[in-house]
Amino acid sequence: MENNDIIKSVETISIDGYCPDNRAFIVAESIKDDIFVHGGSNKTKEYTQVDIFDTKSMQWNVITDISTSNPFFIFDKPLSGHSSTLVNSTIYIIGGFDGNSYSGAIYMIDTEDYTFTQVDIRGNGEY
């Protein structure tokens, strides 16, 4: 780190407790003091996993520990290589690979309870 005008120092922090599986091709969005992380792949499978990293407590949380909704209504689609964007209090998940085929689906995730709605992209009532 010598002679670096941008990075002045680096601190390594040990995190105790739950830590999600290592995986690539995730989506991540910053929501207030949390980081929403979904999906990804570890070369053998696509993940449905949603984890929340609390930047204040520096702890990982499983989505079912955070949401007050029935787990059936929490976003749980297996995807890797998908995209996301946060607009107001809604996360939009777009595309990705589900382990068998590529998806063109769009999902809206409410950041209050992490429930989701699939967007009708064809306009005729079919997804």
Side-chain angles (χ1 to χ4, degrees), residues 7-87:
I7 300 172
K8 301 296 180 194
S9 68
V10 174
E11 180 181 354
T12 302
I13 299 171
S14 177
I15 297 174
D16 296 325
Y18 169 74
C19 191
D21 293 344
N22 293 332
R23 57 199 195 265
F25 310 114
I26 63 165
V27 294
E29 293 292 339
S30 176
I31 305 163
K32 299 176 188 161
D33 295 320
D34 296 332
I35 300 172
F36 167 93
V37 177
H38 171 262
S41 175
N42 70 354
K43 293 186 181 181
T44 60
K45 71 175 187 172
E46 274 59 47
Y47 279 80
T48 62
Q49 195 167 324
V50 174
D51 297 295
I52 305 293
F53 185 72
D54 183 329
T55 60
K56 283 189 174 183
S57 69
M58 301 300 284
Q59 296 293 309
W60 282 102
N61 295 292
V62 179
I63 193 65
T64 52
D65 293 343
I66 301 290
S67 179
T68 57
S69 293
N70 181 320
F72 178 76
F73 298 113
I74 299 172
F75 189 70
D76 66 347
K77 304 299 177 192
L79 289 172
S80 65
H82 45 321
S83 298
S84 68
T85 190
L86 178 66
V87 178

